[in-house]
Amino acid sequence: MTKPQHSSLHQRLKANTTAWHSRLDSTPGLRQLIRPELTLTQYVAALQGLLDAHRRVEHQLQQLADDHPGICPNGLPAYRPRVPALLSDLSRLASKTDPTRTSTSTTAPISAPPAIRSAPEPAQSQQSPTASALASAHSVVLAQARYLGMRYVLEGATQGGKMISARVTAQLPQLLTEQACAYWTLLDAASTDWTALARSLARPAEDAAELAAITAGAVHAYQCFLDTFDPSTNPTVS
């Protein structure tokens, strides 16, 4: 494999997805969360958008975990799903406002991908045992890279969560009285997972295929959110 640069996976991933991050942060549906004129109806609509996007990304995480047991690397806690917290908050606020968007899905909340660290199943091929094992191992590496790319987006959201939560509850104190802050409480608890993820990505970006897979995972997650908050957005990855 070729070496793209003598820099870390974290640095390369951040550079490769800066355009996506900027576009998502600038969408009106998310930016209104930090504006003083935020209304409860607007807030509920934003929560519904977050629910729709998280459902899509968490479903992909679950599929990867099901297909590749042990995909969550050592030192990185299992993903804490946001869908149940978002559903809880929306349920508590349902009697207080008419959401501008209503979820019609009755799918049960997606559980956290299991942090099982077992060996991958033997490859079903006619390759020699050594070649088959190498191919299988590299497939797991690429699947894990995609998994980490998606978690990069999800865990990155925890870093601004405390600031947004403070602004939202100051503008809408009824969120506290209705105990409808489960999502922000979860983000605060999951903020330590970002630190663990950053450690996982601190190694050199030496494998071009792995870098491409981790970028693809992050781009997929960003696109899920952009499809919800700004369907017309389609930035070019650098």
Side-chain angles (χ1 to χ4, degrees), residues 198-214:
R199 285 196 297 266
S200 295
L201 301 177
R203 52 196 170 85
E206 298 179 323
D207 187 330
E210 182 185 22
L211 176 60
I214 198 169

Side-chain angles (χ1 to χ4, degrees), residues 74-228:
N74 290 322
L76 178 62
Y79 176 70
R80 311 182 200 208
R82 280 53 158 168
V83 166
L86 287 162
L87 285 172
S88 174
D89 288 345
L90 284 167
S91 177
R92 289 180 179 276
L93 295 173
S95 64
K96 300 299 177 182
T97 184
D98 292 324
T100 57
R101 298 177 62 198
T102 302
S103 174
T104 58
S105 173
T106 57
T107 304
I110 301 170
S111 60
I116 303 172
R117 298 179 174 87
S118 58
E121 296 181 1
Q124 301 295 321
S125 71
Q126 296 181 347
Q127 293 176 302
S128 68
T130 299
S132 177
L134 289 173
S136 179
H138 196 250
S139 174
V140 172
V141 167
L142 297 185
Q144 186 178 83
R146 187 173 179 85
Y147 172 87
L148 291 174
M150 285 190 280
R151 286 200 62 176
Y152 171 81
V153 177
L154 294 169
E155 306 303 349
T158 67
Q159 298 308 285
K162 184 171 292 187
M163 178 273 291
I164 296 175
S165 174
R167 293 195 181 193
V168 165
T169 53
Q171 182 67 17
L172 303 172
Q174 59 266 54
L175 299 182
L176 296 175
T177 59
E178 295 297 325
Q179 297 183 336
C181 292
Y183 174 66
W184 303 110
T185 299
L186 177 58
L187 284 194
D188 185 45
S191 61
T192 57
D193 297 346
W194 168 257
T195 302
L197 178 65
R199 285 196 297 266
S200 295
L201 301 177
R203 52 196 170 85
E206 298 179 323
D207 187 330
E210 182 185 22
L211 176 60
I214 198 169
T215 299
V219 166
H220 175 76
Y222 277 124
Q223 190 62 66
C224 287
F225 283 90
L226 286 166
D227 285 347
T228 297

Side-chain angles (χ1 to χ4, degrees), residues 227-238:
D227 285 347
T228 297
F229 290 100
D230 186 3
S232 65
T233 301
N234 186 21
T236 301
V237 180
S238 59

